[in-house]
Amino acid sequence: MAGPKIYFKREDLNHTGAHKINNTIGQALLAERMGKKKVVAETGAGQHGVATATVCALLNLECIIFMGAEDIRRQKLNVFRMELLGARVESVDQGSATLKDAVNEALRYWVTNVEDTHYIMGSVLGPHPFPKMVRDFQSIIGKETKTQLLEKEHKLPDAVVACVGGGSNAMGMFYPFIEDHDVKLYGVEAAGSGVNTERHAATLTKGSVGILHGSMMYLLQSEAGQIQEAHSISAGLDYPGVGPEHSHLKDIERVQYSSVTDEEALEAFQLLSKTEGIIPALESSHAVAEAVKIAQTMSKEESLVICLSGRGDKDVESVKDALNQ
Amino acid sequence: MRNTITHGREYLETTLNQTLSQGNKIFVPYVMAGDGGLDQLIPNLKFLSEEGATAIELGIPFSDPVADGPTIQEAGKRALEQNVTLKSVIELLKQERYQIDAPIIFMTYINPIFKYGIENFIKDAQEAGVDGLIIPDLPFEQQVLISNHLNEAGIALIQLVSLTSSKKRIKQLAEASQGFTYAITVNGITGARSNFAKDLEAHLSQLQEFSSAPVLAGFGISSPEHVEQMGNMADGVIVGSKIIELLQDNDTDSIKRLIESSKAK
């Protein structure tokens, strides 16, 4: 096969199976230093919840995770994991019963218990300094990629691809490359059933600027400024906003953002499983699907890095259901 | 012109000070615009104004009301199901504002205003006779987004002060507040409660010291006893969730009793 050399940044091999742990370790240490006894967090796919519950178990912090009822249904195994790690999982029924509603409830819990509780925001979202702090904890992804690529290829990659929901793995991957203008950066959103339907999570592609959860960013919203529900087969991309820094990178055209449908992500999920023996998270499958397209425009002297943000064990059941439909 | 009132910050401040100079405490009920249908709004506002509410906080429904507890969340949801928007509330008030004497303060999250367009919103709010604004998710540092336009239009921007704020922050907010200073009496979100923090009195008296505008206590206040208790520590109260429940139950007598408990004995 022609095309570039393709590298995977294997965040799926991290403890708990995704990049999320990079951020939760950092924030839990901060919580400990601030003398907070409890941690609250929201979770979509459950990966951030599991990563939070894990560090809380390690540091002996009480842990409460808010999760949309719909996500609890889609990610039963992760709910069990969190409980096994000693966390209390609170089901959220409001709104679309997914990630944004879990953020609302986690914020409400936090303001009520702020004196002894730290909120570990799971993505590059929320009020300052969360987007910056989460980016910095996740930027280890891009730093390692840079070092390792330089070792292997003696040059920077020509293209870097990552999936974007709230956008923490992508922000962590992109950040160390922002000033390297020869490195093309690609962010991939979830197009759900298609960007021309009502059911997608392609905030940067289809949204407009608004303010939610303390950030100004691109948002899926109505004419009246009501936040709309996001839809994706992957629970981790199901958020109607996107990190403010991604919004900025779109505006200055430093990163090219595109979107991939549920169907394309499912194909990529199977492709990577069969060809590489790696079952990727459905979130990361979006990056894989777009990388397949990008690779076709590249030469064999070039190299491309895909951020494999998480592993797909958690998704096997819902993929099975989707393929049987 | 059907009446001669010039609405805005000045009208709000004059009205609040008048109430205080008569020896009464300030009573501000909260109503969710469009709960029970937009048709209900003007009759509800009229009733509250005529029964002696000093000013009225008018909630604009929003899909993600993070500062609100279950009662106001549900009220907002009912209003959204009726397709009530910031625009439809403003249009209604442009026509009917003259019927209500009490100053009206919009309580809205920032996104509906931002999407409306800040300059358009302020122009329309002025025409609709809006006297003040509370925006719970617009932090002090970000208020430049709107504050200059509001100052020009003479609409008050009210600051919320939390129990956990540092002394420096409390001072900063109290000094910046226009109309009144909104003292949040609990850690948390809106909704009825039975108890308040022990150090509340010290907190409120510190606020009084810094704030040139009246200090009103809100969040969790739900009975005539609370109103009287807070009246001893602050210039008055804001009652939200309880008013929404009573309006839903059509319990006008209990609303009258709540308002009455703020008046001089």
Side-chain angles (χ1 to χ4, degrees):
Chain A
M1 209 166 113
K5 263 194 199 169
I6 297 175
Y7 288 92
F8 291 107
K9 177 69 176 89
R10 297 291 304 274
E11 293 299 303
D12 63 317
L13 296 179
N14 282 346
H15 186 45
T16 72
H19 69 291
K20 294 291 185 186
I21 194 91
N22 299 334
N23 168 48
T24 57
I25 290 173
Q27 286 203 49
L29 289 171
L30 280 176
E32 197 182 39
R33 185 174 168 103
M34 289 186 289
K36 305 275 168 126
K37 303 275 176 259
K38 277 195 293 184
V39 157
V40 62
E42 84 295 339
T43 196
Q47 292 305 97
H48 174 58
V50 168
T52 304
T54 300
V55 289
C56 288
L58 183 68
L59 298 176
N60 198 22
L61 297 163
E62 196 183 325
C63 181
I64 303 111
I65 305 288
F66 286 93
M67 188 168 182
E70 172 62 17
D71 289 337
I72 287 181
R73 188 190 62 75
R74 290 194 284 190
Q75 302 287 346
K76 285 189 212 88
L77 210 53
N78 270 343
V79 175
F80 181 66
R81 278 197 188 102
M82 287 183 265
E83 287 169 351
L84 206 57
L85 292 160
R88 195 172 90 217
V89 180
E90 295 275 350
S91 172
V92 178
D93 295 311
Q94 282 97 331
S96 54
T98 60
L99 186 53
K100 114 184 138 77
D101 312 286
V103 174
N104 290 345
E105 276 309 300
L107 283 171
R108 290 181 184 122
Y109 182 91
W110 192 30
V111 293
T112 311
N113 297 278
V114 66
E115 280 170 282
D116 65 350
T117 305
H118 176 61
Y119 181 9
I120 300 191
M121 179 67 80
S123 194
V124 285
L125 297 165
H128 175 74
F130 280 112
K132 202 174 156 196
M133 176 164 64
V134 177
R135 175 201 73 197
D136 287 347
F137 287 136
Q138 291 295 0
S139 65
I140 187 67
I141 301 174
K143 285 179 197 155
E144 286 179 349
T145 301
K146 217 168 174 175
T147 315
Q148 292 170 19
L149 241 283
L150 284 171
E151 264 170 37
K152 291 263 182 198
E153 294 287 323
H154 308 290
K155 62 180 175 93
L156 293 174
D158 298 283
V160 174
V161 189
C163 66
V164 179
S168 70
N169 88 85
M171 207 53 240
M173 175 58 111
F174 294 162
Y175 190 61
F177 289 105
I178 298 289
E179 300 301 326
D180 301 313
H181 293 281
D182 292 335
V183 181
K184 289 193 176 122
L185 304 174
Y186 298 92
V188 189
E189 297 190 292
S193 311
V195 288
N196 295 321
T197 70
E198 299 274 289
R199 298 180 62 82
H200 63 78
T203 318
L204 289 164
T205 314
K206 297 288 281 189
S208 58
V209 179
I211 302 164
L212 179 68
H213 297 147
S215 282
M216 186 183 281
M217 57 190 169
Y218 282 90
L219 272 179
L220 300 180
Q221 57 181 324
S222 72
E223 265 312 296
Q226 305 296 342
I227 311 306
Q228 289 169 331
E229 293 172 15
H231 293 280
S232 166
I233 188 165
S234 111
L237 301 181
D238 229 349
Y239 183 76
V242 59
E245 200 164 356
H246 282 295
S247 302
H248 173 67
L249 291 172
K250 174 196 156 81
D251 287 350
I252 64 167
E253 297 180 4
R254 175 64 188 96
V255 179
Q256 222 170 301
Y257 293 94
S258 59
S259 62
V260 154
T261 62
D262 287 351
E263 205 177 313
E264 292 171 298
L266 280 168
E267 272 171 37
F269 181 92
Q270 296 169 82
L271 176 71
L272 201 65
S273 301
K274 280 179 189 146
T275 56
E276 297 288 337
I278 298 170
I279 301 179
L282 270 174
E283 291 77 11
S284 322
S285 301
H286 286 73
V288 175
E290 186 65 20
V292 170
K293 297 183 204 170
I294 296 165
Q296 284 164 7
T297 67
M298 294 172 73
S299 72
K300 68 176 201 283
E301 288 75 36
E302 294 180 300
S303 64
L304 176 155
V305 181
I306 302 172
C307 185
L308 211 61
S309 55
R311 67 172 179 233
D313 306 45
K314 67 180 176 62
D315 297 315
V316 169
E317 205 186 333
S318 46
V319 169
K320 181 169 160 259
D321 291 346
L323 293 177
N324 285 339
Q325 266 175 17
Chain B
M1 286 299 278
R2 279 177 262 210
N3 64 17
T4 53
I5 296 174
T6 308
H7 283 287
R9 176 180 173 181
E10 232 181 275
Y11 180 62
L12 173 63
E13 287 175 351
T14 310
T15 311
L16 299 184
N17 287 330
Q18 240 163 31
T19 302
L20 292 175
S21 66
Q22 287 158 1
N24 298 319
K25 291 292 175 177
I26 295 163
F27 187 94
V28 180
Y30 172 103
V31 182
M32 174 60 77
D35 183 15
L38 209 49
D39 301 349
Q40 256 331 98
L41 182 58
I42 299 301
N44 281 344
L45 295 178
K46 244 181 113 166
F47 162 74
L48 290 166
S49 181
E50 282 164 8
E51 288 304 327
T54 322
I56 301 168
E57 189 184 341
L58 184 55
I60 305 298
F62 183 51
S63 53
D64 295 81
V66 287
D68 288 307
T71 306
I72 295 181
Q73 282 178 47
E74 287 303 314
K77 214 155 124 189
R78 288 192 295 270
L80 286 176
E81 279 161 12
Q82 307 264 349
N83 295 318
V84 173
T85 63
L86 181 55
K87 183 132 211 150
S88 62
V89 176
I90 284 178
E91 290 308 318
L92 178 68
L93 285 178
K94 277 185 186 173
Q95 301 301 316
E96 310 294 339
R97 177 69 178 94
Y98 73 95
Q99 297 193 49
I100 302 129
D101 288 336
I104 291 177
I105 301 142
F106 272 16
M107 140 71 209
T108 173
Y109 291 84
I110 185 67
N111 199 52
I113 295 181
F114 186 75
K115 187 71 180 169
Y116 200 110
I118 284 169
E119 287 177 46
N120 281 339
F121 165 74
I122 290 171
K123 186 171 94 10
D124 285 357
Q126 211 174 5
E127 278 176 43
V130 175
D131 302 278
L133 265 186
I134 298 171
I135 312 173
D137 63 341
L138 186 65
F140 187 65
E141 287 72 15
Q142 307 297 330
Q143 286 174 0
V144 284
L145 194 67
I146 193 167
S147 52
N148 290 340
H149 298 290
L150 283 176
N151 283 336
E152 232 168 85
I155 296 175
L157 183 58
I158 289 145
Q159 304 292 341
L160 292 144
V161 181
S162 81
L163 276 176
T164 50
S165 299
S166 66
K167 190 173 171 180
K168 192 175 148 209
R169 181 75 168 177
I170 291 173
K171 189 160 184 270
Q172 193 179 34
L173 292 168
E175 284 173 358
S177 210
Q178 305 173 338
F180 63 87
T181 300
Y182 193 138
I184 301 174
T185 50
V186 297
N187 283 337
I189 50 180
T190 61
R193 282 169 181 78
S194 47
N195 289 307
F196 293 95
K198 285 188 241 26
D199 49 3
L200 183 59
E201 191 160 4
H203 173 75
L204 288 173
S205 75
Q206 183 159 64
L207 253 181
Q208 296 271 24
E209 195 185 307
F210 294 139
S211 179
S212 52
V215 173
L216 303 192
F219 282 34
I221 295 164
S222 55
S223 67
E225 293 71 37
H226 286 163
V227 175
E228 283 171 32
Q229 184 192 345
M230 291 298 160
N232 295 327
M233 303 188 254
D235 296 310
V237 294
I238 298 151
V239 182
S241 298
K242 192 68 195 176
I243 295 285
I244 285 177
E245 282 170 17
L246 293 172
L247 281 174
Q248 252 210 316
D249 297 344
N250 240 331
D251 188 352
T252 48
D253 288 342
S254 295
I255 295 177
K256 287 180 195 172
R257 270 199 298 279
L258 273 170
I259 298 177
E260 198 47 44
S261 60
S262 69
K263 306 295 175 211
K265 298 291 155 331

